Amino acid sequence: MVYIDNLAKVRELSTWRVWDEPTPPDNRDAIGFGLVEGKGIGMIARRKILAGELIIAERPVYAQRKTLPQCNAENAVNGIFHLSAVKDLNPTSREAISSLKNSKSGCHPLTGILQTNFLMLDITEEPDPDPANQFVGIFPLLSRANHDCTPNTHYFFNFSSFTGEFRPTRDIPEGAEVTISYTHVLAPRSARQAHLRSCYSFICSCAVCGLDAKKAEASDERRARIHQLVEELTPGSSVQRKPSYDKIKDCLKMVEKERLDVYRAQILFYGGTLLLQQGDVTHFLQWMRRAEEEYLRIEGEASPAYKAVMTT
Ligand SMILES: [Zn+2]
């Protein structure tokens, strides 16, 4: 792996014992790649994949801070910085990078490929909320997954094994595409499409983006309500008004309707904590059990959220 950072941090990473350890066993035989109408090459289920199966666990071949001062506008055009960064990678990893899609114009193809396919990763156990300390990486397989505004798969970075991981949030039938989200799925359709167009140069034609105007408006409304509830429930949120048990239950139904399974765990966890504060121990215990199962399914035992539920 190539890791771009200051010398002290690069030296620190080179001493990690994780590099001598194998990556977790996965089920990558369950996926293949094929043409998806309107999208180009996509990741396809070769058999039915069950929710929670670890489809892929792989280490990045390239990692850097999300924002690099060295990669200025001039270097983005001539590609010198990134060409120099990847020159010592083995041929297989270089080929894995060069075979990825480039959706960027106005910059060197290699810089465009990296910017198109980055996924977030962590180089510290406790992720730093400071945007200057966010990290991104390129993965040979994970970076090839396409977008859907109702994705069936969750991307999780497992810091303890230093692997990016895909787990389906619901069962994926044989022949269906494995998808993740490139944008904020709770944003309205127009905002999602504008973001995807400007950052990834495509017009999303997923099922929910293809809804007629009336149904799309109803979907936007449900997503906005889920977004609002998540804001209200998030610990430390500036929103003072706290939702009732019935409102949270209604919102969980909207999560089902929109098939945004990934939010269920978070709502159950934060909602359950709120119920405990309100003295509702019975529902607190029920929701914590469900949150535990959900986090285990979508992120596995290494998930910080799963560990937080277990210690609550
Ligand atoms: Zn869409």
Side-chain angles (χ1 to χ4, degrees):
M1 178 185 86
V2 164
Y3 172 61
I4 311 294
D5 205 347
N6 60 57
L7 195 55
K9 201 68 202 173
V10 173
R11 280 191 177 135
E12 185 202 317
L13 254 73
S14 70
T15 65
W16 285 1
R17 290 171 61 188
V18 74
W19 310 123
D20 299 325
E21 294 166 8
T23 55
D26 60 20
N27 293 287
R28 62 183 64 191
D29 289 352
I31 55 118
F33 292 90
L35 205 58
V36 180
E37 196 181 339
K39 285 187 173 180
I41 301 295
M43 189 182 285
I44 310 292
R46 297 173 65 190
R47 60 161 170 83
K48 180 180 180 181
I49 307 176
L50 298 176
E53 270 192 67
L54 179 55
I55 310 177
I56 301 167
E58 66 178 349
R59 297 208 170 107
V61 290
Y62 176 95
Q64 64 162 71
R65 272 175 206 273
K66 194 174 177 185
T67 309
L68 280 176
Q70 304 96 314
C71 191
N72 54 29
E74 188 185 340
N75 281 345
V77 173
N78 61 32
I80 285 174
F81 180 80
H82 286 128
L83 285 167
S84 154
V86 303
K87 76 174 172 22
D88 291 330
L89 269 179
N90 64 48
T92 309
S93 297
R94 278 210 310 272
E95 169 60 24
I97 293 176
S98 62
S99 67
L100 293 169
K101 190 174 177 184
N102 174 18
S103 299
K104 305 284 181 187
S105 55
C107 61
H108 188 275
L110 175 60
T111 302
I113 284 176
L114 297 176
Q115 289 180 353
T116 303
N117 295 284
F118 277 142
L119 289 168
M120 300 295 289
L121 54 82
D122 304 314
I123 62 146
T124 51
E125 191 158 12
E126 292 293 326
D128 190 333
D130 182 350
N133 290 326
Q134 288 184 341
F135 292 81
V136 288
I138 294 289
F139 300 81
L141 293 174
L142 301 175
S143 290
R144 299 171 75 95
N146 286 329
H147 163 86
D148 195 290
C149 295
T150 311
N152 55 24
T153 297
H154 177 59
Y155 165 73
F156 168 68
F157 188 75
N158 181 339
F159 176 75
S160 60
S161 58
F162 209 75
T163 49
E165 299 179 349
F166 273 3
R167 289 179 179 80
T169 58
R170 54 181 181 270
D171 293 354
I172 303 176
E174 180 180 346
E177 189 181 8
V178 173
T179 56
I180 57 169
S181 168
Y182 295 180
T183 190
H184 185 21
V185 292
L186 296 181
R189 178 169 74 170
S190 57
R192 295 195 307 269
Q193 293 202 330
H195 177 245
L196 294 168
R197 205 166 37 242
S198 79
C199 292
Y200 299 97
S201 308
F202 72 89
I203 296 168
C204 187
S205 57
C206 75
V208 72
C209 283
L211 291 172
D212 64 41
K214 198 173 170 192
K215 285 182 178 164
E217 197 180 316
S219 168
D220 278 357
E221 167 70 18
R222 282 190 290 270
R223 288 178 186 232
R225 287 178 66 183
I226 298 167
H227 188 200
Q228 187 192 1
L229 183 89
V230 170
E231 291 272 297
E232 289 172 2
L233 286 175
T234 301
S237 153
S238 57
V239 183
Q240 294 299 314
R241 189 160 40 87
K242 291 298 173 192
S244 65
Y245 170 74
D246 287 339
K247 187 176 172 191
I248 302 172
K249 264 188 79 175
D250 272 356
C251 223
L252 285 168
K253 286 181 192 158
M254 288 176 214
V255 167
E256 296 294 324
K257 181 87 179 162
E258 289 298 306
R259 306 184 82 195
L260 294 175
D261 317 83
V262 75
Y263 285 97
R264 196 163 40 236
Q266 199 178 354
I267 291 172
L268 286 166
F269 179 29
Y270 292 163
T273 308
L274 179 66
L275 293 179
L276 181 65
Q277 288 165 9
Q278 294 166 353
D280 185 349
V281 178
T282 307
H283 284 123
F284 159 74
L285 291 172
Q286 284 175 4
W287 284 16
M288 282 297 147
R289 256 195 307 272
R290 285 180 60 196
E292 182 188 320
E293 287 170 11
E294 293 282 343
Y295 275 126
L296 194 57
R297 188 160 61 186
I298 61 172
E299 296 190 343
E301 286 181 356
S303 161
Y306 170 71
K307 291 176 187 168
V309 175
M310 295 289 281
T311 53
T312 299

